[in-house]
Amino acid sequence: MSVNQHIRPITAERKDGKLFVGGCCLSELAEKYGTPLYVIDEATLRGIAREYKEAFKEYKNIHLMYASKALCTSAVSKILYEEGFGFDTVSAGEIYTVYKSGADMKNVLFNGSNKSQREIELALELGVGRFSVDNFYEAELLNKIAGEKGKCADILLRITPGIECHTHDYIQTGQTDSKFGFDLTQIDKIITLIKNNYKNLNLKGLHAHIGSQIFELRSYSDEVEILIKETLRINKVHNLHLDEMNIGGGLGVKYTDADNPPSVKELAQAVSCAMNKFTNDIPSIYLEPGRSIISTSGITLYTIGSSKQVPNGRKYVAIDGGMSDNPRPSMYQAKYVAEVAGETAGRAEEEVTIAGRFCESGDVLIENIKLPKLEAGDILCVFNTGSYNYSMASNYNRVEKPAMVLVNNSQSDIIVNRESLEDLISHDRIPDRLK
Ligand SMILES: *Cc1c(COP(=O)(O)O)cnc(C)c1O
């Protein structure tokens, strides 16, 4: 089974009734580092990274670029760089993080639908290898800034291939009416501009990203088909030699038993079949998985606090975190599963709703889950929180962001410090006239 087909990290096990991940007892981690606590299992992370490398090894020119936006921290970047990954980045902050963690900047791609002048300058100065140009405005701006710096930027063109995949509307990006990329009907115009006017842009190929949490391989075959056909057409019509193709990320993960994502190997086979149908002249391929790389390795530990039995209604049990450390349930109605970390022998099961601590009725982490009867002080472990949790976290209600620890071989190390109250006010200033 592929790592992304597991709900729990691959090292998760119960010993004497207690839940362990990476050889570490989760109740002890909660005690030592406090909660809420993000935990990343290194073996699961390296496991999926190696699966991707193995599955795509038939391609000489495969560029595996981790989509940093799923979870961008220095330690995670370092591990993925060690595993041979490049990085797909979308901001100065992500570019700077991967740069400081020692990544090879030639293997970094800068994406996004509204890159600022400052971000483009930083990317050029740090030697980012590819820009995925999203729109006419950006092409002109990038050409100008590169010109001022006496540089030529290697670019891909982000296109919207017009594919509808069955995923949540908010995380679907490849359909025609999308804020991302050039419509297929605009491609000839932008290419003509690049050829004739933008001397500081060097066009290498096309890029698409059709969505996230994708379960249907058909979406990828269709996408690859469109990208190849379009590349061959452009090469003919514009007399070019584009030989790079970025098929984006999006492979799904298993949050609950209802999710059945394909394996990484099946994804590789689908891509390979679609490619072979059209051309033997296989171009350089870029892949940008985010969620499927980091999701399964992450869990979040919370401490149970208050509870409320609504008369003739549900029972709410509250945790010490919620929508500020994991906004996905309130944003996308995302589903998660959880277990009690400690030993629960002898407790009867009961159906409860896990409520967050934040001042929003929508701050509910898990609705109607059967768990051993919870008591205040229990540690709840929520699975598959590695992606789009910390990276989307906020300080709503002026709550400090949790710490993150990396576990491996019974060892645990802090990789992100817990925010302190001082951190929270460290950017505040009171003007003199109010003093
Ligand atoms: C978000 C994004 C990804 C990663 O998507 P996942 O679903 O996390 O794999 C890859 N490429 C682009 C352009 C993206 O916007």
Side-chain angles (χ1 to χ4, degrees), residues 67 69 88 111 158 207 209 211-213 248-251 288-291 388:
K69 73 171 191 274
D88 162 39
N111 238 317
R158 171 83 181 260
H207 173 204
H209 169 71
S212 204
Q213 187 62 351
L251 182 64
E288 307 166 326
R291 185 190 310 273
Y388 304 107

Side-chain angles (χ1 to χ4, degrees), residues 204-205 231 235 241-245 282-285:
K204 311 285 282 183
T231 303
N235 284 347
H241 304 282
L242 306 188
D243 62 354
E244 295 188 4
M245 198 174 93
I282 295 181
S284 238
I285 300 176

Side-chain angles (χ1 to χ4, degrees), residues 5 131 198 216 240 243 272 277:
Q5 296 174 316
F131 287 78
Y198 298 155
E216 286 175 80
L240 289 170
D243 62 354
S272 176
K277 236 166 67 187

Side-chain angles (χ1 to χ4, degrees), residues 140-328:
E140 188 179 346
L141 184 64
L142 176 58
N143 180 64
K144 178 170 152 278
I145 301 172
E148 284 162 9
K149 293 190 177 296
K151 295 191 172 174
C152 191
D154 289 327
I155 66 166
L156 305 176
L157 286 181
R158 171 83 181 260
I159 63 163
T160 38
I163 291 172
E164 309 250 347
C165 40
H166 298 269
T167 177
H168 195 289
D169 275 350
Y170 295 167
I171 40 185
Q172 180 178 313
T173 56
Q175 76 281 19
T176 309
D177 182 6
S178 160
K179 75 168 189 172
F180 296 105
F182 292 94
D183 192 81
L184 288 176
T185 57
Q186 300 172 316
I187 291 185
D188 288 322
K189 184 172 172 201
I190 182 67
I191 290 182
T192 306
L193 271 170
I194 293 169
K195 273 178 71 175
N196 298 338
N197 301 6
Y198 298 155
K199 301 295 171 214
N200 296 86
L201 303 185
N202 179 23
L203 180 58
K204 311 285 282 183
L206 301 182
H207 173 204
H209 169 71
I210 52 175
S212 204
Q213 187 62 351
I214 296 170
F215 292 165
E216 286 175 80
L217 292 172
R218 181 65 201 278
S219 310
Y220 285 104
S221 325
D222 290 352
E223 183 201 7
V224 168
E225 189 174 325
I226 291 167
L227 281 170
I228 292 186
K229 278 186 178 162
E230 198 52 29
T231 303
L232 296 177
R233 188 194 68 82
I234 291 168
N235 284 347
K236 197 157 144 218
V237 173
H238 295 274
N239 192 23
L240 289 170
H241 304 282
L242 306 188
D243 62 354
E244 295 188 4
M245 198 174 93
N246 185 336
I247 58 184
L251 182 64
V253 300
K254 192 177 179 77
Y255 288 107
T256 73
D257 280 326
D259 297 330
N260 283 307
S263 67
V264 174
K265 203 167 166 192
E266 286 166 326
L267 168 65
Q269 281 160 354
V271 170
S272 176
C273 283
M275 302 267 295
N276 293 338
K277 236 166 67 187
F278 292 96
T279 174
N280 295 319
D281 181 18
I282 295 181
S284 238
I285 300 176
Y286 287 74
L287 221 68
E288 307 166 326
R291 185 190 310 273
S292 59
I293 293 287
I294 196 68
S295 228
T296 322
S297 61
I299 57 173
T300 308
L301 303 180
Y302 300 99
T303 303
I304 299 294
S306 62
S307 59
K308 171 183 175 178
Q309 175 70 59
V310 178
N312 304 316
R314 305 202 242 196
K315 180 172 180 184
Y316 288 94
V317 178
I319 50 172
D320 55 355
M323 65 185 288
S324 83
D325 58 78
N326 182 0
R328 296 190 66 256

